[in-house]
Amino acid sequence: MLLAARIANIVVVILEVIGLGISVSARKAEIFVYYTQLSNIAALIASLAFAIFGPVLWVGALRLLAAAALTMTFLVTTCVLIPMGASAKDLLLRGNGLYHHVLCPLISVASFVAVESNVMSPWMAAIPIALTLIYGFIMLALNAKEVCDGPYPFFRVNHQSTLATVVWMAVLTAFISAISILMCWIG
C-alpha cells in the first residue's frame, strides 16, 4: 500500500505543477487570494513530502490539511459557485480548473482516504479549520477595506448584508470543521 500511496502522491505532484503553471501564467501573484490555489499549493507540498518521507506525523498533518482543504475547494466549487451561476465547464474542465477543482482533489483525497496509512492525532483536525478561518478573516478584512473584491461571492461584505456574511461564514466554518474532523478520523 505504501508504494501505491507514493505513486498517487507523485501523480498529484505532477498534476499540481501543471495546474499551478497554468494559474501563475494567467494570474501571477494574484493566485494567493484564492483558497483554491492555496489548497492546491498545500497539496503539492504535502504530496511531495509524502512521496519523500512517507507516513510520519508531520507529513500526516500536511496531508490532512491538503485533503480537507481540497475537499472544501471541490464542495464550494460544485455546491456554491456553479449553482450561483459560474460556468461548470470553465471551473471543472478548462485550464487550471480541471487540475485544481477535479483531478488533484479527487486523486489526493482518494489516496488519503483509501491508500495511505497516515499517522494521525486528534489535535490535527484543528489545523485545516484554523488555517481556513485565518484565510477567511483576512479576505473579509481585505474586502471590507476594498483592497480585494472577492474572489468569492461570500467575501464581498460591501455587497451583502452583515447577516448574509455571518451566515456564509458560519456555514463555511461548519463545512471545513466537519470535513477536517471526518478526514482526521478516517485518515
Side-chain angles (χ1 to χ4, degrees):
M1 291 297 255
L2 181 58
L3 179 60
R6 278 199 159 109
I7 291 170
N9 277 277
I10 290 168
V11 168
V12 169
V13 167
I14 293 166
L15 295 174
E16 288 291 4
V17 168
I18 295 168
L20 194 57
I22 294 168
S23 294
V24 169
S25 69
R27 293 193 175 108
K28 312 291 184 257
E30 186 185 352
I31 66 168
F32 294 108
V33 300
Y34 290 89
Y35 186 88
T36 296
Q37 302 302 317
L38 297 173
S39 66
N40 278 276
I41 290 168
L44 171 62
I45 293 166
S47 289
L48 184 60
F50 188 94
I52 295 169
F53 300 105
V56 295
L57 187 64
W58 67 273
V59 172
L62 286 175
R63 288 292 297 130
L64 173 63
L65 170 63
L70 288 175
T71 300
M72 183 76 164
T73 293
F74 180 80
L75 290 175
V76 167
T77 300
T78 57
C79 300
V80 176
L81 301 179
I82 292 171
M84 288 180 83
S87 167
K89 190 179 264 186
D90 287 341
L91 289 180
L92 302 176
L93 301 175
R94 291 189 178 145
N96 75 304
L98 175 63
Y99 298 95
H100 288 164
H101 293 144
V102 180
L103 296 176
C104 293
L106 292 178
I107 295 169
S108 183
V109 172
S111 177
F112 181 83
V113 170
V115 184
E116 295 171 25
S117 298
N118 286 300
V119 180
M120 290 284 118
S121 178
W123 63 267
M124 289 179 175
I127 296 170
I129 299 166
L131 292 176
T132 298
L133 286 172
I134 290 167
Y135 167 78
F137 286 127
I138 290 169
M139 293 313 300
L140 288 172
L142 291 174
N143 273 264
K145 293 180 179 184
E146 298 183 349
V147 174
C148 284
D149 183 30
Y152 305 107
F154 41 81
F155 287 143
R156 293 187 168 118
V157 296
N158 297 323
H159 304 285
Q160 64 190 9
S161 68
T162 301
L163 178 60
T165 299
V166 169
V167 170
W168 272 117
M169 293 309 105
V171 169
L172 293 170
T173 300
F175 269 22
I176 191 62
S177 297
I179 292 165
S180 186
I181 291 166
L182 181 63
M183 292 279 181
C184 189
W185 181 69
I186 290 172

